Amino acid sequence: MKIAIASDHGGVNIRKELKSLLNELGLEYEDFGCRCGESVDYPDYAVPVAEKVARGEFDRGILVCGTGIGMSIAANKVKGVRCALVHDMFSARATREHNDSNILAMGERIIGPGLAREIARVWLTTEYQGGRHESRLNKIKKYEGN
Ligand code: RB5
């Protein structure tokens, strides 16, 4: 599994923590910034990562900002992306099992690095259940024009 990861200035510490998790799990990843300590705009990071996942260049994406909200709003504008904003362990599992989410968004002003690491671990290792969830996802795909 190949992961695209990015954050704005508000998510730098969690992004660093998650890169250490990805190394621990032996997962291939590419870091798309941000590279600076100054204020940047989250859509400039969310949209390129979302497009790479939608095109199949990466299997999954992880986006971090202050709240995770901006990143998730921007990523979900890209057709084929199912970005889940997650700050608890139950949702981390449920959004993989039920929604087959392909991007995870989190907010560094909401949770600390320890919880973010465990959420990402569960999200990365939980399989989509399919079954009754498939027709629901198909309705979203139909709306998107697929
Ligand atoms: C940046 O100040 C902040 O707005 C951003 O990190 C994020 O929380 C947006 O949703």
Side-chain angles (χ1 to χ4, degrees), residues 118-138:
E118 292 316 302
I119 286 170
R121 186 195 300 278
V122 166
W123 186 78
L124 287 164
T125 56
T126 301
E127 293 296 321
Y128 171 51
Q129 283 181 344
R132 71 186 191 279
H133 304 294
E134 193 62 16
S135 60
R136 296 161 185 165
L137 291 192
N138 283 339

Side-chain angles (χ1 to χ4, degrees), residues 8-10 42 65-71 109:
D8 72 358
H9 54 285
Y42 57 80
C65 64
T67 60
I69 297 170
M71 286 291 199
R109 293 183 195 154

